[in-house]
Amino acid sequence: MMASEQSPATPSDRLVAGQQPEQQQQQQRPHDNVAFEDVTDGNFVYEFGGPVGAASMIIGFPLLMAYQFLCVYDNKGQFLLPSSLADFIPWVARMSARYWEIAYPSWAGIKIYMGFTLFTVALAYICPGPVMYGYKVPSLNGQRLAYHCNALWAWWITVGTALALHFSGLFRLTQIIDNLGPIMTVAMIWSFLLAGAVYAATVLWGKKHRASGNFIYDFFMGVCLNPRIGTLDLKMVTELRVPWPVLFFISLSCALKQYEEIGYVTPESAFMVLAHWLYSNACNKGEECVMTSWDIFYELESWYLLFWNLAGVPFSYCYSSIYLLKNGPMNFSLGWNVMCYVLLVTGYYFWDTGNSQRNRFRMFWNNTLIKRNAFPQLPKGFIPNAKYLQTTHGNKLLIDGWYAYARKPHYTADLVMSLSWGLITGFGSFFPYFYLTFFTIVLVHRVGRDDARCARKYGADWDEYMRVVPWKFVPYVF
């Protein structure tokens, strides 16, 4: 049954049909009474295996990245294994020596990675852009934090500057792939240092959130909700402005290196440049939508977020680009390449519009929706007459657009894109499919965390929402 917002407050009666935009603005749109987002969450439980799991990942992820780098960069995407059990310790010694030989934190690596980081931070302070406001923060007595959303300007300035440096000969972008190992090592070291600084500053200022009391676990999961340096929001910068542009420039560097070596860029390498440009551009053009996302309003700035954003994303999601460079022209059929391109563009459309639908729906009811013409603006990116389920908590759950068919359609589209990143390389190596494999595990785990938290938060309303939209990823499948 469809009812007005003033209907009796039983779960089945709180399915609300949206009004026309003008009516919504005049009659329903709230002014300053949007529900507080629950970022305190007193129902503490250990996640990721608790302190033991946290310690394992803090040690294991850097080692995994180092191993995979050697396999992809130094062994054409094939596994490097000891010849026997007795050879294991000598193999570790050989691998360590080889990694240090080609990936030690050289001065070139420091200049490239930290130079990019400092340039990014400077642009975050000085570029023009709209000032947006996030959810009310309970720990700040309901204050809404301001976010200077100038990533779009910063992104295009960065791309223009990089191309100018490359074609002028002042800094050839091929130096990125030539120094990829040192750059990656610098990124990993920097993520540890920054995570330590954020943790120490938060403890010193007495502003810890959701802390367990166990140092290793709290360092891994974080204790700082809103790390800021003046107008710069650290989570926004490390979530959007570093990982995806760095990934794009790695793929662009691989394509330019390929052009230097064989005289042209293959359709497969061009595919990876397009794929990573689309992703990076979308993150920057839609920055104002991110304040209402889980990562910004709920997740703590932690080792695992900083390490993965600053090092993991750019240096482990690039394996397809490196593999294509190291293994020469692939010479796949036109049909195969067309299929991959169609899969990429289709996945991108539903990912972009899906994220836009859910975040702009939230922004509308948070009084922060603005119109921007950043390229590309795709059809169905905003639902002006959206249906939703009104919860007794105060929030509204979108049940329209792509979200009428599944609760996480943007994750499905993300996985389709990640699949295309692997398929464009063929089936000669596992490593181009690492992103798909890892991302699937991460998203399934995140959906589980989200469902558990929302069940606590919304109670019977969440049960009703799951009845109305029963499928997580794919309608009638899962």
Side-chain angles (χ1 to χ4, degrees):
M1 161 179 174
M2 305 305 294
S4 70
E5 195 172 0
Q6 288 73 35
S7 298
T10 60
S12 60
D13 287 338
R14 285 197 291 274
L15 299 181
V16 180
Q19 298 178 342
Q20 295 301 317
E22 295 81 10
Q23 294 174 308
Q24 287 176 322
Q25 291 172 0
Q26 295 171 10
Q27 299 177 23
Q28 287 190 328
R29 192 173 179 184
H31 292 281
D32 198 37
N33 59 346
V34 179
F36 278 53
E37 275 304 318
D38 180 11
V39 296
T40 52
D41 200 350
N43 298 285
F44 176 82
V45 292
Y46 276 128
E47 299 182 78
F48 298 102
V52 173
S56 299
M57 283 183 271
I58 291 171
I59 297 169
F61 275 139
L63 294 177
L64 177 64
M65 285 181 60
Y67 171 76
Q68 293 189 136
F69 171 77
L70 287 175
C71 292
V72 177
Y73 192 86
D74 206 37
N75 200 43
K76 293 192 172 183
Q78 303 309 306
F79 285 102
L80 290 161
L81 301 171
S83 59
S84 65
L85 185 60
D87 184 49
F88 179 75
I89 294 178
W91 173 80
V92 170
R94 293 194 302 272
M95 294 284 284
S96 301
R98 180 57 178 163
Y99 182 83
W100 185 253
E101 180 183 353
I102 65 173
Y104 73 97
S106 66
W107 179 234
I110 294 170
K111 286 192 295 184
I112 293 171
Y113 187 82
M114 296 310 298
F116 174 83
T117 300
L118 292 174
F119 186 69
T120 298
V121 169
L123 291 178
Y125 280 112
I126 66 176
C127 285
V131 175
M132 306 295 293
Y133 291 86
Y135 285 128
K136 294 179 179 180
V137 182
S139 60
L140 299 177
N141 298 316
Q143 176 186 347
R144 297 174 187 266
L145 292 174
Y147 296 85
H148 192 189
C149 295
N150 57 8
L152 185 63
W153 272 94
W155 161 240
W156 284 109
I157 289 173
T158 301
V159 171
T161 301
L163 292 176
L165 289 172
H166 175 78
F167 288 110
S168 68
L170 293 175
F171 176 79
R172 301 287 291 177
L173 291 176
T174 51
Q175 291 184 56
I176 296 173
I177 189 63
D178 291 340
N179 294 278
L180 192 64
I183 297 170
M184 183 181 76
T185 303
V186 170
M188 289 195 286
I189 293 171
W190 173 239
S191 68
F192 271 86
L193 293 175
L194 190 58
V198 170
Y199 180 87
T202 306
V203 171
L204 288 173
W205 292 334
K207 296 184 179 296
K208 293 194 293 184
H209 290 264
R210 304 198 301 270
S212 70
N214 181 281
F215 168 73
I216 293 176
Y217 184 79
D218 289 344
F219 176 69
F220 176 82
M221 289 295 293
V223 292
C224 183
L225 182 60
N226 303 114
R228 295 192 151 215
I229 305 173
T231 59
L232 184 143
D233 186 88
L234 191 60
K235 278 201 288 188
M236 289 281 280
V237 170
T238 56
E239 178 95 3
L240 301 178
R241 303 194 190 198
V242 174
W244 302 106
V246 171
L247 178 62
F248 165 72
F249 283 119
I250 291 172
S251 290
L252 180 60
S253 178
C254 288
L256 292 170
K257 186 71 174 180
Q258 184 179 66
Y259 183 82
E260 285 186 357
E261 291 180 349
I262 64 175
Y264 65 96
V265 176
T266 65
E268 296 83 9
S269 292
F271 173 97
M272 292 311 306
V273 174
L274 172 64
H276 293 159
W277 179 85
L278 285 171
Y279 213 111
S280 185
N281 184 71
C283 289
N284 288 285
K285 80 180 177 75
E287 182 190 30
E288 74 278 2
C289 297
V290 177
M291 288 94 66
T292 59
S293 69
W294 166 286
D295 283 358
I296 300 302
F297 80 76
Y298 183 78
E299 292 280 43
L300 301 167
E301 189 71 299
S302 59
W303 176 87
Y304 92 87
L305 278 185
L306 285 169
F307 180 85
W308 206 250
N309 282 328
L310 299 180
V313 167
F315 299 101
S316 8
Y317 295 179
C318 64
Y319 295 150
S320 295
S321 302
I322 302 171
Y323 180 79
L324 291 169
L325 173 65
K326 296 293 184 178
N327 287 274
M330 306 305 289
N331 298 317
F332 292 134
S333 69
L334 176 63
W336 181 263
N337 284 336
V338 168
M339 182 271 292
C340 290
Y341 273 87
V342 169
L343 198 63
L344 169 66
V345 173
T346 302
Y348 174 79
Y349 172 76
F350 284 101
W351 174 75
D352 187 305
T353 54
N355 278 301
S356 181
Q357 285 178 5
R358 70 188 180 101
N359 286 314
R360 286 177 174 164
F361 172 79
R362 294 169 181 166
M363 292 170 68
F364 180 86
W365 289 104
N366 197 38
N367 286 314
T368 57
L369 181 64
I370 62 173
K371 181 176 176 58
R372 300 190 77 184
N373 296 315
F375 176 81
Q377 292 297 312
L378 302 175
K380 304 291 186 183
F382 175 64
I383 309 169
N385 195 29
K387 300 180 182 67
Y388 58 86
L389 188 149
Q390 178 66 54
T391 69
T392 54
H393 173 276
N395 285 354
K396 297 167 175 61
L397 304 177
L398 178 63
I399 52 171
D400 209 340
W402 312 141
Y403 295 85
Y405 304 100
R407 300 196 297 275
K408 304 292 183 182
H410 54 296
Y411 286 172
T412 307
D414 219 342
L415 290 171
V416 169
M417 286 194 293
S418 69
L419 173 62
S420 74
W421 296 10
L423 291 175
I424 197 65
T425 69
F427 301 99
S429 172
F430 159 76
F431 296 102
Y433 294 90
F434 169 78
Y435 173 42
L436 173 64
T437 305
F438 177 78
F439 201 40
T440 300
I441 296 170
V442 168
L443 291 187
V444 170
H445 177 263
R446 170 170 281 202
V447 169
R449 291 177 68 203
D450 190 36
D451 283 349
R453 178 176 171 272
C454 288
R456 295 194 303 268
K457 180 176 177 179
Y458 297 123
D461 290 328
W462 188 250
D463 295 333
E464 176 67 7
Y465 173 64
M466 294 180 70
R467 184 192 68 79
V468 174
V469 189
W471 307 105
K472 287 184 180 181
F473 298 113
V474 182
Y476 308 106
V477 178
F478 178 64

